[in-house]
Amino acid sequence: MKRHRPTNELILHVIVAVLILNIAKTEVPRPRGVSLSRAGLYDPTKDFTCFDNTLTIPFAQVNDEYCDCADGSDEPGTSACPNSMFHCTNAGHQALNIFSSRVNDGICDCCDGTDEYVSKKCPNTCKERGQHAREAARLRAELVKAGKQLRNELSAEGIKMKQQKKDKLVELQKSKIEAERVMKEKEDLKKQAEELESVALEEYRKIEDEIKAKKAIEEAEMIRKEATETFEKFNSNADGLLSIPELQTRQPFDKDHNGEVSEEEARSFLDNRESINLEDFIVYAWPLMKPIMMREQGVFKPPVGVGEVEEVPLNDAREVNEEPDEEPEPPQYDDEEDDEEDEEPAEEHHEEDETDTNTKVEYDEETQKLVSEATQARSEFTDAEASVRNIQSEITRIEEYLRKDFGADEAFAALEGHCFEYTDHEYIYKLCPFDKAVQQAKSSAVDTRLGTWSKWTGPEGNPYESMLYDHGQACWNGPSRSTRVQVSCSSENKLISVAEPNRCEYLFEFSTPAACYEVEQHPDDVHDEL
Ligand code: MAN
């Protein structure tokens, strides 16, 4: 059988295959500090054009320690351009981008040591670090696997809860429309009833005002009568002036109970004067004396119907035989009457205070009916208003709940409404997720708020790794307290540790099955090559 020579086409295929295999096996040649994904932007066979297209330079000027491009793109592997980034491959571990100012600064930033290429003092530790990181990732993966079932359950519960809240919100919004309709209706009814009531009461108000005015005059006259009687009784020499010696004979004015009424004691009842005439007595002295006289008379007042009289002992012998009923009568208090007043239902009354008790006029049947109807309408309107308010506050509560971010699959929702504690030698710390962080000194029951739920603060790709609680209680001479919570995966909800790295800035570590999920990798963290 005749053997054919291989065709050109076949030879080409073989060459391409060999080339592909070789490229896959070796590193793609590229300037120092350039990542694999950007290697194509640096072609050594051509002049280099800055990424911002402002300048084209010979390729030899790339990484020549001189910054030609304003955007720093010609010096990816040196520290010559302040704004450029250096990429370390870190084969065996994670690739890393660092500011080029860190290149050759004497600090090992890249585990492959490429950032310190001048001193070459940084050994390649990527293999060990990679192993370490892979081990940590493996452990996390195990934890995640173990907690995943729990997390799925939490997530299902969270989704259900959220749906229930949403349904409830729709229901409440409907109820609110109906409650507002009822309230408006009750308000109209109240207005109508009050208009009728007001017209009906107009007549009564006039009568009551007249009675009130009459009463006031009567009371003033009564006071004047009482005062005048007392003045005349005490003014023993009937000279029209009540003087200190005349009062000194009256034992009730012995304020310090030392057995005699001193000049000062007597003067104090005479508006601090030596003597006083009737008109000034009524205005200034009687209001001071009346309570004393009432008290004394109250103590010595004979029981009603009992003839036996016990008079206030008076120093003045001339007055010992005076008839006790000459003493001014104190106004009588009638507690019973007040009690009865309190027990009556409100709508049976005019809406006036107790001082108006005696000025009330009985309403006729028709007026009383209108007053009762207006009272009823007022009460129904108040109830309807309260009902709208209650529905609204429930709506606000649910809206607040729905605004909270419990994770894409609601797995963190079940933590809401629960609190977790951690105790150290001095304090008991409490984390109530999505609500607050609290510190309580063991020696006192006083709570210090370390922050109120604010937001998730994890890095891009894993926002649910940390939480922030801020606007806590103000720190002495400092800012308000705040708390960061590092959230990690474990099979149980637990506040693992608490620290205060800076004064009034707290760091909590909290673990929960809700955090057992695979973390999305940031594009920069993905291994460029192994
Ligand atoms: C309290 C606690 C501490 C905090 C100080 C600041 O003692 O809240 O955590 O550091 O106040 O004055």
Side-chain angles (χ1 to χ4, degrees):
M1 210 167 80
K2 196 177 170 193
R3 285 185 65 194
H4 293 279
R5 288 173 63 132
T7 60
N8 280 351
E9 203 184 340
L10 187 61
I11 292 167
L12 196 66
H13 274 123
V14 171
I15 292 170
V16 168
V18 168
L19 269 176
I20 289 172
L21 279 173
N22 274 336
I23 287 168
K25 246 171 41 189
T26 59
E27 278 202 3
V28 174
R30 57 190 194 269
R32 192 187 326 107
V34 174
S35 68
L36 184 59
S37 56
R38 295 187 149 215
L41 300 172
Y42 294 87
D43 182 353
T45 62
K46 290 185 191 149
D47 284 346
F48 176 76
T49 300
C50 308
F51 293 169
D52 62 7
N53 281 323
T54 51
L55 188 68
T56 297
I57 51 172
F59 194 82
Q61 284 178 224
V62 171
N63 276 348
D64 68 347
E65 303 270 353
Y66 182 82
C67 191
D68 297 286
C69 299
D71 64 2
S73 54
D74 63 314
E75 295 296 315
T78 77
S79 56
C81 294
N83 51 347
S84 88
M85 295 298 285
F86 180 91
H87 177 87
C88 11
T89 305
N90 287 346
H93 188 35
Q94 282 184 335
L96 187 67
N97 292 315
I98 60 169
F99 291 112
S100 57
S101 56
R102 296 191 180 169
V103 172
N104 293 324
D105 66 348
I107 297 167
C108 307
D109 295 289
C110 303
C111 66
D112 61 8
T114 50
D115 60 317
E116 297 299 319
Y117 60 87
V118 170
S119 69
K120 294 196 171 42
K121 69 165 205 158
C122 297
N124 188 332
T125 57
C126 290
K127 198 171 161 219
E128 300 84 75
R129 297 215 13 214
Q131 273 167 357
H132 215 259
R134 280 189 289 280
E135 181 57 15
R138 195 185 59 76
L139 287 175
R140 180 180 160 84
E142 265 177 25
L143 270 177
V144 167
K145 205 171 147 202
K148 218 163 175 189
Q149 181 52 32
L150 283 171
R151 180 172 201 274
N152 288 343
E153 284 163 23
L154 289 176
S155 164
E157 198 184 318
I159 290 169
K160 196 168 130 206
M161 254 154 52
K162 193 163 206 175
Q163 194 51 49
Q164 280 171 352
K165 298 270 183 189
K166 280 182 182 165
D167 295 346
K168 181 81 189 159
L169 185 61
V170 172
E171 191 187 301
L172 283 168
Q173 273 155 347
K174 275 192 211 139
S175 313
K176 190 182 155 196
I177 294 171
E178 173 58 14
E180 278 172 341
R181 192 194 59 73
V182 172
M183 184 180 81
K184 179 82 199 52
E185 197 179 282
K186 297 289 178 194
E187 190 178 14
D188 292 347
L189 288 174
K190 177 178 93 95
K191 269 190 200 148
Q192 286 164 19
E194 281 181 336
E195 265 164 36
L196 294 173
E197 178 196 48
S198 177
V199 172
L201 287 183
E202 191 50 37
E203 205 47 41
Y204 286 95
R205 267 191 211 113
K206 273 190 218 143
I207 299 170
E208 280 171 5
D209 287 349
E210 278 164 20
I211 295 174
K212 247 190 255 174
K214 208 168 139 228
K215 271 242 161 321
I217 293 169
E218 277 170 13
E219 260 162 39
E221 277 170 359
M222 173 75 171
I223 289 169
R224 192 175 176 85
K225 184 167 162 273
E226 277 172 3
T228 308
E229 280 170 9
T230 308
F231 183 88
E232 281 165 4
K233 193 172 85 179
F234 289 177
N235 182 21
S236 20
N237 61 7
D239 65 349
L241 284 174
L242 184 58
S243 60
I244 289 175
E246 284 166 331
L247 270 201
Q248 281 183 284
T249 62
R250 306 282 168 174
Q251 200 170 10
F253 303 125
D254 174 16
K255 288 203 260 186
D256 58 10
H257 302 291
N258 69 347
E260 61 173 21
V261 180
S262 69
E263 269 187 40
E264 290 85 81
E265 283 169 334
R267 192 180 286 109
S268 72
F269 286 100
L270 292 180
D271 188 33
N272 288 320
R273 310 183 197 187
E274 292 302 303
S275 61
I276 200 162
N277 65 22
L278 175 62
E279 286 311 312
D280 286 354
F281 176 84
I282 293 167
V283 178
Y284 303 109
W286 179 236
L288 301 172
M289 281 182 195
K290 190 175 171 180
I292 302 280
M293 308 271 305
M294 276 171 58
R295 199 169 57 232
E296 288 297 321
Q297 288 182 7
V299 169
F300 295 106
K301 192 177 160 189
V304 182
V306 178
E308 189 186 312
V309 172
E310 221 179 332
E311 176 58 290
V312 180
L314 298 173
N315 284 353
D316 190 338
R318 285 170 297 173
E319 303 232 4
V320 166
N321 294 327
E322 261 183 30
E323 286 299 312
D325 56 10
E326 278 184 30
E327 292 289 322
E329 274 296 309
Q332 301 287 310
Y333 291 106
D334 196 339
D335 291 343
E336 246 176 59
E337 193 183 286
D338 285 351
D339 290 348
E340 275 168 19
E341 296 276 336
D342 290 345
E343 280 158 21
E344 280 182 64
E347 70 263 30
E348 300 300 321
H349 272 284
H350 309 217
E351 289 175 354
E352 288 168 355
D353 65 33
E354 279 180 28
T355 55
D356 293 323
T357 307
N358 298 331
T359 63
K360 278 183 200 144
V361 179
E362 277 290 308
Y363 298 147
D364 64 46
E365 209 179 304
E366 181 58 19
T367 305
Q368 186 56 58
K369 187 166 161 272
L370 292 172
V371 170
S372 301
E373 277 167 5
T375 307
Q376 176 69 17
R378 275 187 285 272
S379 150
E380 282 176 21
F381 171 65
T382 309
D383 290 349
E385 246 185 342
S387 164
V388 171
R389 250 196 330 270
N390 290 343
I391 295 174
Q392 184 50 53
S393 57
E394 214 177 329
I395 287 178
T396 308
R397 259 202 314 277
I398 294 184
E399 282 174 343
E400 259 168 35
Y401 178 92
L402 293 175
R403 267 199 298 275
K404 287 180 183 169
D405 177 359
F406 296 125
D409 51 6
E410 313 294 337
F412 289 97
L415 297 176
E416 219 229 8
H418 297 277
C419 297
F420 305 93
E421 283 190 4
Y422 175 85
T423 305
D424 71 7
H425 60 285
E426 206 180 347
Y427 300 107
I428 299 166
Y429 290 92
K430 227 192 289 180
L431 173 67
C432 307
F434 306 102
D435 181 10
K436 62 187 174 182
V438 172
Q439 177 192 57
Q440 188 192 323
K442 280 181 179 169
S443 51
S444 78
V446 182
D447 275 0
T448 303
R449 191 175 269 249
L450 304 184
T452 301
W453 164 248
S454 169
K455 57 183 174 192
W456 290 102
T457 50
E460 199 190 324
N462 189 14
Y464 304 109
E465 185 189 86
S466 98
M467 294 170 152
L468 175 66
Y469 293 78
D470 58 8
H471 297 113
Q473 209 163 306
C475 193
W476 176 253
N477 272 343
S480 62
R481 288 172 171 79
S482 64
T483 302
R484 280 197 183 273
V485 181
Q486 286 295 342
V487 184
S488 62
C489 156
S490 97
S491 54
E492 59 168 342
N493 293 321
K494 192 171 179 192
L495 188 52
I496 310 168
S497 77
V498 171
E500 192 180 343
N502 295 308
R503 201 165 144 265
C504 296
E505 283 178 24
Y506 303 84
L507 182 64
F508 287 16
E509 278 187 295
F510 178 66
S511 72
T512 167
C516 296
Y517 51 85
E518 280 97 13
V519 178
E520 243 181 72
Q521 284 212 316
H522 192 269
D524 283 351
D525 290 344
V526 176
H527 293 201
D528 242 350
E529 54 208 79
L530 289 171

